[in-house]
């Protein structure tokens, strides 16, 4: 049946049916839903609850520093924010007085640029509010034709009933708004460029390796050598400087094996936490689980003992990881590599010259930080990367189209359940019988479902971006913002606002064609699309004003960390969290830049689009940004951390989205002028998109190169050149061996168990409980010998060994302070940015990560405290180490990582070591050419031996 037949069947009935009601509701989902009273109610509720939640935050903050000030507790002295007293409003003073230069040092450039963007939006909409409220509202109110009916204040403020010469006000305001927006964008573009140049000159950037390193991808087979990479970069731009190059190596299945190992460890921890929740009263039945699908020794339907199976699975994976790591060699180079220079200007000069060049088909760019690389995507070919990117776009487009129908239904029914009763008579009966209950459901369901979608969408888009071939996490986050913003604008703004109008227009055209037998073009002109769109936009503007008012409440909830606080309390009291989860909950959470940038850009887009249609939206948006610019400042100072610092790399993306929002607003102004004004007015609006395009080109040519590159190599001199060493240092001679795949040296996590369950764990665990291998002398003797101490030969071991495969965590150590220097915790919570020296993974010898070759994290370092009460972990190279007998000791440096090893005449090479935690001292893939042939002796322990932790249980004999 065609569409005309469908409309004839549904609309042609004399008696109104549920289907006809549905069509009418879809054509005008906002009819009767908004009123002047709704605005004042929303304003009162928003402001009232915001004040209450802020007061609740002021009361709870002094006594919940784990939730409200984790950065203050864990950051080092350089990155720690100002101290806070116990006063209710003591947090206000440091937030108000902290200025941008201080903020850059404490929280980083990404957070600084984000706050600058929020302040720009605040000032922008405050300025536009003056013009909108002083010009547009009086013109619309005085020029509205009421046709003898009483119009609400919201209708009078819109151009819904305005025609003729009064529309010139829209043309003037459109030009004024565009000029104001361009001034604010230019001013902040210049400020961000200045911040970026200061970042280039900072000691952190000047001393980092990635600043003078290039990433080369798509290397052809013939050039996949260190010398081949050197020839490629020399062909791109001869600089006279020697590039130290390292080609990538095939790490085989190591990343997948490590991922399986981590998953198995976390599963084992979860089963043990539930089973040992009350050690004095264990459940009668041991936990069961299904074997891993990748484990071929079991069937998929089989259920096995979870503790025994996962322990054995972890042991097998560790042995397999060890064997694979020992087989990494030079014989299988990958199509990517790195080229490091002595100076930053040399690297940036080559990168700038290679922007549009592809020597030998390669792509040369500045290398991101090693912990920012998405290593799995580096080996992809150009065709594979393009295919993945195309598939990612198709998946996003499909998701966007699929969401149109649910989004329209939410707009029609879920936001007003009485509409659902009109098409579903049985539900109308329930609605009449229980009005208060369904009123509560209506108030909760629509925001809850919408908020859930907003939380899930970034996760979905981030996973799609990971499969799209991005080589860095910053690039991935940029694509996430881009796709989220496109999704929100299309579905939540265009479809949500114009769906009913388009539906009504199509229905009207079909009816005219059917009933009056007019041709299609005549029916389209008779339906008057421009007027219908204008009326629809004026009507729906009331909804967006109310919606933006409710965002203030969301900002207050975000400050109070209500979700985290409630979830943490619930999980601790009613669930069985693992020690690892309890520790992670006390760590500073990472700030989700993609989500917050998308929200703020979407709010700004809504406000700009309706600035001339409903001018009251401007002060409402200004109110939101005025509030959130301060609240987000506190959160970034005391709560959140930047997981991956990009050095302000988000600004250009934000700038382009603001220009797009302005262009969309100009299109809507042109639509109103076309529908209600004259052709002369329309011609006056037409140049606006071209002005924006010219402004975009100007800013790009003026600022972009200064933001991206330290120097372009054209007559610019390195200001630090006079202090550069005249002779290459020992450290610089090894620059080409510092970038390596983390799978080569990443420590393997060990299962963590509450210390209170240690005694019971020794009873329920059926495997080997000591870490020293089989007992010696007991196979043919009935005399049981005590374990000999490894630190004091001839003496019994100190204390009783704990259950070997597990790390026992005392109750007072369930805090991130004890583990922030360990890679299994720090990597997910901004490690290397605010806790220790910037850059890449920390030293395993000095940072609590275990020995370089052991793949095991070490115990928490003993904690000392400063006079201010700040915890300072001791270096682990000053702590006694014990090793099980028959353990093949990996390469280990007891000396400081900054000290050159003694010249023994024998070269020491270890493909898995990570010498230190500086960004310029990273164990690189170039060093992973051959397995280690010489190993240093373990340090001789002194003093009392530490308590057995037996982290090497799964390693087995070497």
């Amino acid at each position: 049946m065609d569409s005309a037949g469908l409309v004839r069947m549904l609309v042609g009935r004399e008696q109104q049916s549920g289907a006809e009601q549905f069509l009418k509701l879809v054509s005008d989902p906002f009819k009767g839903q908004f009123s002047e009273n709704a605005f004042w109610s929303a304003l009162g509720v928003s402001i009232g609850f915001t004040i209450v939640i802020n007061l609740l935050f002021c009361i709870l903050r002094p006594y919940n520093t784990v939730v409200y000030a984790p950065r203050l507790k864990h950051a080092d002295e350089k990155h720690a924010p100002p101290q806070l007293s116990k006063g209710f409003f003591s947090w206000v003073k440091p937030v108000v007085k902290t200025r941008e230069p201080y903020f850059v040092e404490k929280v980083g450039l990404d957070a600084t640029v984000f706050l600058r963007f929020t302040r720009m939006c605040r000032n922008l909409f405050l300025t536009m509010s003056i013009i909108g409220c002083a010009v547009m509202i009086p013109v619309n109110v005085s020029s509205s034709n009421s046709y003898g009916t009483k119009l609400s204040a919201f209708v009078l403020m819109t151009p819904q009933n305005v025609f003729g010469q009064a529309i010139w006000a829209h043309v003037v305001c459109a030009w004024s708004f565009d000029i104001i927006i361009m001034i604010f964008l230019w001013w902040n573009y210049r400020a961000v460029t200045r911040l970026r140049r200061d970042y280039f000159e900072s000691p952190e950037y000047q001393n980092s390796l990635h600043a003078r390193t290039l990433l080369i991808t798509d290397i052809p087979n013939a050039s996949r050598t260190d010398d081949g990479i050197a020839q490629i970069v020399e062909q791109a731009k001869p600089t006279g400087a020697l590039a130290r190059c390292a080609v990538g190596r095939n790490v085989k299945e190591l990343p997948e094996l490590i991922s399986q190992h981590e998953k198995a460890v976390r599963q084992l921890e979860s089963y043990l936490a539930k089973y040992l929740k009350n050690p004095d009263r264990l459940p009668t039945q041991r936990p069961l689980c299904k074997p891993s699908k990748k484990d071929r020794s079991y069937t998929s339907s089989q259920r096995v003992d979870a503790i025994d199976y996962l322990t054995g699975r972890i042991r097998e994976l560790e042995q397999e990881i060890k064997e694979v790591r020992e087989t990494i060699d030079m014989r299988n180079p990958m199509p990517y590599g790195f080229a490091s220079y002595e100076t930053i200007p040399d690297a940036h000069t080559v990168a700038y010259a290679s922007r549009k060049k592809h020597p030998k088909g390669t792509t040369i760019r500045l290398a991101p930080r090693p912990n920012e690389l998405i290593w799995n995507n580096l080996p992809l070919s150009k065709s594979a990367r393009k295919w993945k990117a195309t598939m990612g776009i198709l998946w996003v487009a499909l998701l966007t189209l699929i969401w149109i129908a649910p989004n329209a239904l939410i707009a029609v029914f879920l936001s007003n359940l009485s509409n659902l009763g009109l098409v579903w008579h049985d539900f109308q009966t329930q609605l009449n019988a229980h009005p208060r209950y369904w009123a509560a459901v209506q108030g909760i369901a629509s925001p809850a479902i919408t908020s859930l979608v907003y939380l899930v969408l970034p996760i979905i888009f981030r996973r799609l971006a990971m499969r799209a071939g991005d080589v860095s996490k910053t690039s991935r986050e940029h694509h996430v913002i881009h796709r989220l913003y496109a999704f929100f604008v299309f579905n939540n703004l265009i479809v949500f606002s114009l769906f009913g109008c388009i539906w009504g227009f199509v229905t009207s055209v079909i009816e005219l064609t059917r009933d009056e037998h007019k041709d299609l073009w005549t029916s389209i002109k008779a339906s008057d699309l421009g007027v219908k769109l204008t009326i629809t936009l004026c009507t729906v503007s009331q909804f967006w004003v109310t919606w933006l008012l409710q965002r203030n409440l969301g900002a207050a909830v975000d400050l109070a960390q209500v979700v985290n606080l409630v979830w943490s309390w619930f999980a601790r009291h009613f669930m069985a969290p693992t020690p690892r989860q309890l520790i992670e909950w006390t760590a500073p959470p990472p700030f989700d830049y993609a989500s917050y940038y998308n929200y703020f850009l979407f709010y700004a887009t809504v406000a700009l689009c309706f600035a001339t249609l409903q001018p009251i939206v401007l002060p409402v948006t200004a109110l939101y940004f005025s509030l959130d610019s301060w609240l987000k400042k506190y959160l970034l100072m005391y709560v959140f951390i930047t997981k991956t610092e990009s050095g302000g790399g988000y600004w250009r993306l934000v700038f382009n989205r603001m220009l797009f929002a302005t262009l969309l607003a100009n299109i809507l102004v042109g639509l109103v002028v076309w529908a209600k004004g004259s052709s002369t007015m329309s011609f006056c609006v037409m140049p606006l998109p071209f002005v924006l395009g010219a402004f975009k080109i100007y800013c790009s040519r003026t600022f972009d190169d200064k933001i991206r590159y330290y120097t372009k190599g054209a007559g610019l001199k390195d200001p630090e050149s006079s202090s550069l060493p005249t002779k290459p240092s020992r450290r610089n001679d090894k620059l080409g061996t510092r970038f390596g795949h983390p799978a080569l040296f990443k420590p393997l996590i060990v299962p963590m168990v509450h210390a209170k369950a240690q005694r019971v764990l020794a009873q329920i665990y059926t495997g080997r409980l000591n870490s020293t291998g089989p007992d010696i002398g007991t196979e043919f003797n009935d005399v049981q010998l005590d374990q000999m101490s490894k630190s004091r030969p001839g003496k019994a071991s100190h204390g009783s060994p704990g259950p070997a495969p597990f790390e026992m965590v005392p109750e007072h150590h369930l805090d991130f302070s004890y583990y922030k220097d360990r890679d299994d915790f720090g990597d997910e919570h901004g490690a290397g940015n605010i806790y220790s020296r910037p850059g890449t993974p920390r030293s395993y010898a000095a940072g609590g990560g275990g020995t370089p070759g052991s793949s095991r994290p070490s115990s928490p370092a003993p904690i000392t405290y400063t006079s201010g009460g700040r915890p300072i972990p001791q270096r682990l190279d000053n702590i006694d180490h014990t090793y099980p007998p028959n353990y093949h000791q990996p390469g280990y440096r007891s000396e400081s990582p900054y000290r050159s090893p003694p010249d023994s005449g024998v070269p020491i090479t270890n493909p898995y070591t990570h010498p230190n935690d500086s960004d310029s001292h990273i164990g690189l893939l170039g060093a992973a050419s051959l397995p280690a042939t010489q190993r240093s002796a373990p340090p001789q322990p002194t003093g009392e031996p530490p308590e057995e932790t037996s982290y090497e249980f799964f390693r087995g004999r070497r």
Side-chain angles (χ1 to χ4, degrees), residues 28-171:
D28 189 6
F30 303 100
K31 184 177 181 180
Q33 186 176 342
F34 305 103
S35 64
E36 188 175 349
N37 294 333
F39 169 79
W40 295 111
S41 298
L43 178 63
V45 170
S46 176
I47 294 178
F49 274 95
T50 299
I51 294 175
V52 170
I53 292 176
N54 282 335
L55 290 176
L56 183 65
F57 161 76
C58 293
I59 295 172
L60 296 178
R61 182 200 58 80
Y63 310 100
N64 293 274
T65 57
V66 172
V67 176
Y68 296 120
R71 280 182 59 96
L72 181 62
K73 181 178 182 181
H74 301 303
D76 57 22
E77 184 177 357
K78 177 182 177 181
H79 300 94
Q83 293 288 336
L84 295 175
S85 66
K86 296 291 185 180
F88 286 169
F89 300 101
S90 61
W91 62 277
V92 176
K93 183 178 179 179
V95 169
V96 173
K97 290 193 173 183
T98 302
R99 295 295 179 258
E100 192 169 75
Y102 180 86
F103 207 79
V104 172
E105 178 184 355
K106 296 299 181 181
V107 301
L109 193 53
D110 278 342
T112 303
V113 171
F114 177 83
L115 291 177
R116 173 166 280 276
F117 170 68
T118 60
R119 294 197 304 272
M120 182 195 76
C121 291
R122 177 196 64 192
N123 299 334
L124 172 66
F125 288 110
L126 284 173
T127 305
M128 294 177 63
S129 297
I130 297 175
I131 298 177
C133 296
V135 177
M136 292 303 305
I137 292 180
V139 169
N140 289 336
V141 171
S142 61
S143 304
S144 292
N145 190 345
S146 62
Y147 300 104
T149 60
K150 184 179 180 180
L151 300 177
S152 68
F154 271 104
V155 175
L156 288 174
M157 288 188 291
T158 67
Q160 180 171 332
N161 297 319
V162 178
F163 296 90
Q165 295 300 313
I167 301 298
W168 276 111
H170 291 260
V171 178

Side-chain angles (χ1 to χ4, degrees), residues 16 65 222 281 345 526 618 653 743 883:
Q16 199 174 53
T65 57
R281 291 182 297 176
L618 295 172
L653 180 144
Y883 301 93

Side-chain angles (χ1 to χ4, degrees), residues 237 349 352 711-717:
K237 177 67 175 179
T349 298
Y352 178 78
T711 177
K712 297 187 288 186
L716 297 179
K717 183 179 179 181

Side-chain angles (χ1 to χ4, degrees), residues 49 53 76 134 140 317 321 362 393 424 442 444 530 542 567 627-628 681 699 711 728 822 855 873 887 910:
F49 274 95
I53 292 176
D76 57 22
N140 289 336
L317 289 171
I321 291 171
T362 62
I393 294 174
W424 185 7
Q442 175 178 311
I444 297 174
Q542 304 173 34
W567 168 250
L627 176 66
D628 218 12
M681 299 177 187
C699 289
T711 177
R822 282 176 43 165
S855 299
Y887 172 64
N910 189 335

Side-chain angles (χ1 to χ4, degrees), residues 573-585:
H573 289 82
F574 299 100
M575 299 176 66
T578 67
R580 189 178 306 276
Q581 291 174 330
L582 292 171
I583 294 169
E584 290 174 342
W585 290 344

